[in-house]
Amino acid sequence: MKMTIKMLTVLILLTLVAGCKPKGLEGLVPAKGQVLYDAKPLDGAVVTFSPTSGTGRSATATTDAGGNFTLGTMEPKDWIAPGEYQVSVTKYVVQNPMTDEEINAYTLKHDIPPQIISKPEISEKYANFKTSGLTATVPEKGIKDLKFELKSK
């Protein structure tokens, strides 16, 4: 009986360890970089990598105050599959910011949530893969020095 419990415990642990990484996400590698806008670090921008082959998984990241980012596929900073990517960068500013309390009060009063109005803070050409002109190659060993230098004009 004790041997059966031990074997069952080992089997459960092996199943949990094997199940930690979602299927199809094996082989992810680190990909880090920086986004500059008019030669200044771009804080709070969303960087999106989409495979050029049409197959595979996209990855995203949000830049920090230094414009730095680390890509993630399923979760923040969980890396990316090697390959060729087209890249987009977006940053929006909310025109009518509201606190959670204000959103809740508005929703209760009007029976619908408020419309959030935002406008792009950087050139909209970077928001579209076809017009951004941004591409990247992620090698099998990963990459730590991606750099995107965006311009307002």
Side-chain angles (χ1 to χ4, degrees):
M1 184 71 164
K2 286 184 181 182
M3 186 57 115
T4 305
I5 292 173
K6 284 182 184 178
M7 288 175 35
L8 182 59
T9 302
V10 169
L11 182 61
I12 289 171
L13 288 173
L14 287 174
T15 303
L16 289 174
V17 169
C20 286
K21 189 165 244 177
K23 193 168 188 159
L25 297 182
E26 302 83 6
L28 298 182
V29 296
K32 300 178 179 189
Q34 183 183 41
V35 178
L36 301 175
Y37 192 66
D38 291 335
K40 296 177 185 164
L42 185 60
D43 182 20
V46 176
V47 181
T48 304
F49 278 48
S50 179
T52 57
S53 66
T55 60
R57 293 189 182 264
S58 294
T60 61
T62 301
T63 59
D64 64 16
N68 301 302
F69 65 89
T70 300
L71 289 162
T73 300
M74 295 293 286
E75 295 179 18
K77 301 180 182 183
D78 71 353
W79 302 355
I80 187 173
E84 300 291 324
Y85 291 87
Q86 51 191 353
V87 180
S88 72
V89 180
T90 57
K91 182 173 181 183
Y92 291 92
V93 177
V94 176
Q95 298 296 296
N96 60 338
M98 300 174 82
T99 66
D100 288 343
E101 292 80 20
E102 291 170 327
I103 292 171
N104 290 337
Y106 182 96
T107 303
L108 286 172
K109 181 177 180 180
H110 301 283
D111 204 28
I112 59 169
Q115 181 179 4
I116 303 299
I117 301 168
S118 63
K119 73 172 190 167
E121 190 171 299
I122 64 172
S123 175
E124 288 188 88
K125 79 176 191 175
Y126 297 114
N128 186 311
F129 294 119
K130 293 179 183 177
T131 60
S132 75
L134 305 173
T135 61
T137 300
V138 177
E140 295 286 330
K141 65 180 181 348
I143 189 165
K144 296 180 182 177
D145 59 356
L146 291 162
K147 189 170 229 175
F148 299 104
E149 297 185 41
L150 315 181
K151 302 207 181 293
S152 58
K153 296 182 184 195

